[in-house]
Amino acid sequence: MRKIIASTYSTFDGFIDNPHLWSMQYTNEQSMAYALDLVLGSDALLLGRETYDGMAQAWPAMGGNPYADRVNSMAKYVVSSTLEKAEWNNSTIIHGDDLVADVTKLKEQPGENILIWGCGRLTDTLMEHGLLDEYRIWICPVIRGGGQRLFREGTEATLELLDATTFDSGVVVLTYRPASAAGNGDGGEDGDTAG
């Protein structure tokens, strides 16, 4: 069974919004290699509506490097109850009411990992239904003091630490598995608002 991995950048104090304003200065060869391995080990992106909208505007114009080329060629699934047409190539809309059933089918299909960028309603719902296999939380050495929290108020879970990867820049990627995912098999290896 394929794994669903939520990968997101977070400040040290647990905020995730506008990572382009505070995370880019910590990018180095180590983090770029790690990120490339993550996308090369995945063949699908599962995104909430807000993340999808932002990415669909920016990514089609990017290319010419292995990371962007892989992202643009991957199958993309956007979760939304209001979106009527998904413009980014290889995109499919999953209606919010069909999320659990459709993602269960996706996980059962042959293939590589399914990657989510971000955390929010999408990842919370998947975790609650035992469908989210891993969190990859990129902790940046930044304190912002406010913003969108990594986990929404009321979210509860027990997690198991699988790995910790430290880069020379000071970023640490913590890989956790929700306790509910521990029994979901060990198939192949970011989320936001589901819109």
Side-chain angles (χ1 to χ4, degrees):
M1 186 174 292
R2 301 162 83 182
K3 282 187 182 178
I4 296 180
I5 299 172
S7 177
T8 192
Y9 290 92
S10 175
T11 62
F12 187 74
D13 54 344
F15 298 105
I16 63 172
D17 52 316
N18 300 312
H20 60 285
L21 299 178
W22 46 264
S23 68
M24 300 303 289
Q25 68 200 52
Y26 300 104
T27 300
N28 64 12
E29 287 185 20
Q30 294 171 311
S31 63
M32 289 170 53
Y34 185 99
L36 180 60
D37 285 347
L38 191 56
V39 297
L40 291 177
S42 306
D43 61 2
L45 283 172
L46 177 60
L47 304 168
R49 171 71 185 265
E50 289 180 15
T51 297
Y52 180 85
D53 285 346
M55 298 297 176
Q57 290 177 20
W59 280 92
M62 297 182 199
N65 65 73
Y67 188 88
D69 291 345
R70 176 65 170 188
V71 168
N72 280 312
S73 68
M74 294 168 79
K76 297 155 197 82
Y77 299 90
V78 54
V79 180
S80 175
S81 298
T82 57
L83 189 65
E84 295 183 8
K85 187 173 181 182
E87 301 286 345
W88 196 3
N89 68 307
N90 301 326
S91 292
T92 301
I93 299 169
I94 294 177
H95 194 276
D97 294 339
D98 302 325
L99 174 64
V100 172
D102 286 355
V103 170
T104 299
K105 289 177 192 170
L106 272 179
K107 284 191 69 157
E108 293 171 348
Q109 293 174 0
E112 298 176 57
N113 299 331
I114 300 166
L115 187 59
I116 298 174
W117 285 337
C119 281
R121 281 191 293 171
L122 172 58
T123 50
D124 289 351
T125 300
L126 295 177
M127 181 182 64
E128 289 165 9
H129 288 87
L131 294 171
L132 184 67
D133 297 284
E134 288 182 10
Y135 288 103
R136 303 270 180 110
I137 310 298
W138 300 58
I139 306 294
C140 295
V142 175
I143 297 173
R144 289 189 60 218
Q148 180 184 343
R149 291 213 162 268
L150 177 58
F151 294 101
R152 295 181 307 141
E153 187 173 341
T155 302
E156 294 183 13
T158 300
L159 306 173
E160 175 188 353
L161 180 65
L162 299 179
D163 187 48
T165 303
T166 304
F167 304 131
D168 292 341
S169 64
V171 172
V172 178
V173 181
L174 300 175
T175 302
Y176 285 98
R177 173 174 59 197
S180 61
N184 284 352
D186 55 311
E189 276 260 296
D190 53 169
D192 67 348
T193 306

